[in-house]
Amino acid sequence: MNAPANIPASLTTGKKLLPENEFIAGFHAIGEERYHHLHPFHLLMHEGKLTRGQLQAWALNRYYYQSHIPLKDAAILARSDDPSFRLAWRKRVIDHDGDGNNPGGIEKWLRLVEATGLPRQQALHGDGIVPATRFAVQAYVNFVSTHSLLEAVASSLTELFSHKLITLRVDRMRQHYPWLTGGLDYFNARLTQAPEDAEFALAWVVKHARTPEQQEKAYAALRTKCDILWAQLDALYFAYVQPGWPPPGAFKASEK
Amino acid sequence: MNAPANIPASLTTGKKLLPENEFIAGFHAIGEERYHHLHPFHLLMHEGKLTRGQLQAWALNRYYYQSHIPLKDAAILARSDDPSFRLAWRKRVIDHDGDGNNPGGIEKWLRLVEATGLPRQQALHGDGIVPATRFAVQAYVNFVSTHSLLEAVASSLTELFSHKLITLRVDRMRQHYPWLTGGLDYFNARLTQAPEDAEFALAWVVKHARTPEQQEKAYAALRTKCDILWAQLDALYFAYVQPGWPPPGAFKASEK
């Protein structure tokens, strides 16, 4: 069915099934526009312009996100009736929770928190995180629990973009914040984990998005995930950069 | 059991049951510290310093909150096995949804949106609201659905403080934004509805918080609710006042 000529093509693309290469290109276009590599908080970070207090606030709040990733992935595991999918996906839980001998991502993030000079207990208890962090992270867990499995998997596709961001971040952190260098193990591990995970998730989404509506829902899921990441940095910027007003009860960053 | 002398009294008050008057005073103390009458966005509003575009962004985003209030109240209704409680609480759903003849709070808020110059369809579709609004509002609905009925009811107690804020707001809006005057019906209705609702909820919470732990949970619920309101204004301030960066896809306010 052709759309009337006076409706822009962009409003009707949802009506036809995109070929695989175009469908994949669409995810990358969303990332170019909405992934948080563009966020002003990250730009300041990579220019070396954040104070130790601002980096503490970032590490502390982001710990809440990190600590909920295996809950998010367990919720996804719980929704699949395909053992081979679960076998592949459970790797993510192990990556973050560890295997009992080797530390996982959560433990490594705690070491990053400590490298900023905050006690790990503060992160473990969530003391002083801004409520907006909590709301955004809970929105992520709720999203994968209440939307289709296709949307839940598609929401993970921000990992398509994370390798480039992490590579830059580690480089700039070594350069600008050498005192943090001992806390960067988390990122080093993600440089191999994230691309593997993204490759699996992308292939799965491409295979399972069989209608134009499903393709559009997969895109919407990735946009929502980008919103979830972006909102966390907006809240950090507001509280700790400009205007610099932490909400009632939140961590107060020192100036230096 | 007495606390060791070196632990501040404030950390041990959770261990004894507060008498009714002290328990009630505690809610008011939380409001004085955390209710959004203190938020810089409201201060600008009441000083007449918001542009039409900023008021549009506020009305549009706040509509998402308003439209979810009856969902929140229905979730509370669904959790009570006491018909007399449900009879009292369902008034809130009627207040917001209307009775089929007289408009409820949601319709009145749509008229406020229109008075700012935005089409009601934009609010109905949530076009351009900032994701942080969505996350905070969803956190409220989830909170009352997943916590105890006592906490759910206690989270409504911000209404203890709304009469004073709305009285000031209506007065200042007539003074500073006379072009909005036709859209203020929502607030006029709330001036009688909110105190009735708050009186019922407070009496119910006082009656059902029978242990120190329950009293502390009721306080925590009110703090969480204050956080939910505050986070919405933080996000508006960030996007539309300072630094003035709407997140990707959000409504762009004009300067005047």
Side-chain angles (χ1 to χ4, degrees):
Chain A
M1 205 162 56
N2 289 323
N6 60 347
I7 295 180
S10 61
L11 292 179
T12 62
T13 49
K15 299 294 175 191
K16 67 177 176 62
L17 190 72
L18 299 174
E20 188 174 316
N21 60 339
E22 280 184 40
F23 182 43
I24 291 173
F27 289 115
H28 287 278
I30 290 169
E32 283 306 311
E33 195 184 319
R34 291 184 175 238
Y35 187 55
H36 64 179
H37 68 303
L38 297 171
H39 197 283
F41 193 89
H42 278 157
L43 302 185
L44 289 182
M45 181 186 290
H46 299 157
E47 290 165 3
K49 292 184 178 166
L50 294 183
T51 64
R52 181 187 289 259
Q54 288 164 338
L55 286 164
Q56 288 176 331
W58 169 72
L60 177 64
N61 278 274
R62 173 97 187 191
Y63 175 77
Y64 187 81
Y65 175 80
Q66 295 299 145
S67 67
H68 281 70
I69 293 300
L71 308 190
K72 181 273 292 184
D73 286 320
I76 291 177
L77 274 182
R79 306 197 54 199
S80 170
D81 57 7
D82 173 0
S84 70
F85 174 89
R86 294 199 303 269
L87 183 66
W89 206 268
R90 80 177 187 211
K91 163 185 178 295
R92 294 167 179 253
V93 179
I94 297 167
D95 284 347
H96 283 85
D97 281 341
D99 62 6
N101 295 307
N102 301 297
I106 292 181
E107 171 60 27
K108 288 175 186 165
W109 198 277
L110 287 171
R111 294 177 188 177
L112 175 63
V113 170
E114 291 177 321
T116 69
L118 289 184
R120 66 168 49 212
Q121 285 301 324
Q122 185 166 356
L124 286 167
H125 294 158
D127 286 348
I129 68 171
V130 300
T133 299
R134 226 177 272 279
F135 303 151
V137 170
Q138 289 169 357
Y140 191 22
V141 179
N142 286 334
F143 182 88
V144 303
S145 305
T146 58
H147 286 66
S148 66
L149 185 59
L150 174 68
E151 291 162 288
V153 172
S155 71
S156 78
L157 289 177
T158 44
E159 286 176 342
L160 289 170
F161 323 125
S162 71
H163 187 278
K164 203 168 156 187
L165 175 60
I166 291 178
T167 303
L168 175 68
R169 180 181 297 163
V170 168
D171 179 63
R172 297 301 175 85
M173 280 185 156
R174 288 185 197 283
Q175 178 186 346
H176 297 301
Y177 318 104
W179 47 273
L180 257 184
T181 304
L184 301 182
D185 277 2
Y186 173 83
F187 301 114
N188 293 327
R190 293 305 296 162
L191 285 174
T192 51
Q193 291 165 353
E196 290 165 6
D197 294 347
E199 190 180 353
F200 174 85
L202 181 62
W204 195 92
V205 167
V206 167
K207 184 174 168 192
H208 290 83
R210 310 299 291 271
T211 69
E213 291 70 27
Q214 287 172 335
Q215 288 188 333
E216 186 42 53
K217 284 193 171 183
Y219 283 161
L222 180 58
R223 280 189 210 102
T224 295
K225 169 66 177 301
C226 288
D227 289 347
I228 286 165
L229 295 174
W230 194 274
Q232 291 176 67
L233 293 178
D234 275 3
L236 278 179
Y237 202 102
F238 180 83
Y240 299 108
V241 183
Q242 189 195 11
W245 295 333
F251 171 72
K252 304 270 193 292
S254 64
E255 289 300 307
K256 271 290 149 194
Chain B
M1 203 162 58
N2 291 323
N6 60 346
I7 294 182
S10 62
L11 291 179
T12 62
T13 49
K15 300 294 175 191
K16 67 178 175 61
L17 190 71
L18 298 175
E20 190 173 314
N21 61 337
E22 279 184 41
F23 182 44
I24 290 174
F27 289 115
H28 287 278
I30 290 168
E32 282 306 312
E33 194 183 320
R34 289 182 175 240
Y35 187 56
H36 65 178
H37 68 303
L38 296 171
H39 196 283
F41 193 88
H42 278 157
L43 303 185
L44 290 182
M45 181 186 291
H46 299 157
E47 291 166 3
K49 292 183 177 166
L50 294 183
T51 64
R52 181 187 289 261
Q54 289 164 337
L55 285 164
Q56 287 175 332
W58 168 73
L60 178 65
N61 279 273
R62 172 98 188 192
Y63 176 77
Y64 187 81
Y65 175 81
Q66 295 301 143
S67 67
H68 281 70
I69 293 300
L71 307 189
K72 181 272 294 182
D73 286 318
I76 292 178
L77 273 182
R79 306 196 55 200
S80 169
D81 56 8
D82 173 359
S84 69
F85 174 89
R86 294 199 303 269
L87 183 65
W89 205 268
R90 80 177 186 210
K91 164 185 178 294
R92 295 167 177 253
V93 180
I94 298 168
D95 284 347
H96 283 86
D97 281 341
D99 62 7
N101 295 308
N102 301 297
I106 291 181
E107 171 60 28
K108 288 175 186 166
W109 197 277
L110 286 171
R111 295 178 188 175
L112 175 63
V113 169
E114 290 176 320
T116 69
L118 289 183
R120 66 167 50 213
Q121 286 300 323
Q122 186 166 356
L124 286 167
H125 294 158
D127 284 348
I129 68 172
V130 300
T133 299
R134 228 177 273 279
F135 302 153
V137 170
Q138 290 169 356
Y140 190 22
V141 178
N142 286 332
F143 182 88
V144 304
S145 306
T146 58
H147 286 66
S148 67
L149 185 58
L150 175 69
E151 290 163 290
V153 172
S155 72
S156 77
L157 289 177
T158 44
E159 286 176 342
L160 289 170
F161 324 124
S162 70
H163 187 278
K164 203 167 155 186
L165 175 60
I166 290 179
T167 303
L168 175 69
R169 180 181 297 162
V170 169
D171 179 63
R172 297 302 175 86
M173 281 186 156
R174 288 185 199 281
Q175 178 187 347
H176 296 302
Y177 318 104
W179 48 273
L180 257 183
T181 305
L184 302 182
D185 277 2
Y186 173 83
F187 300 114
N188 293 326
R190 293 306 294 161
L191 285 175
T192 51
Q193 291 165 353
E196 289 165 6
D197 293 348
E199 190 181 354
F200 174 85
L202 181 62
W204 194 92
V205 167
V206 167
K207 184 175 169 191
H208 290 82
R210 311 299 291 271
T211 68
E213 291 71 26
Q214 287 173 335
Q215 288 189 332
E216 186 40 54
K217 284 193 171 185
Y219 282 161
L222 180 58
R223 281 189 210 101
T224 295
K225 170 64 176 302
C226 288
D227 290 346
I228 286 165
L229 295 175
W230 194 274
Q232 292 176 65
L233 292 178
D234 275 3
L236 278 179
Y237 202 102
F238 180 83
Y240 298 107
V241 182
Q242 190 194 9
W245 294 335
F251 171 73
K252 304 268 192 293
S254 64
E255 288 301 305
K256 271 291 151 192

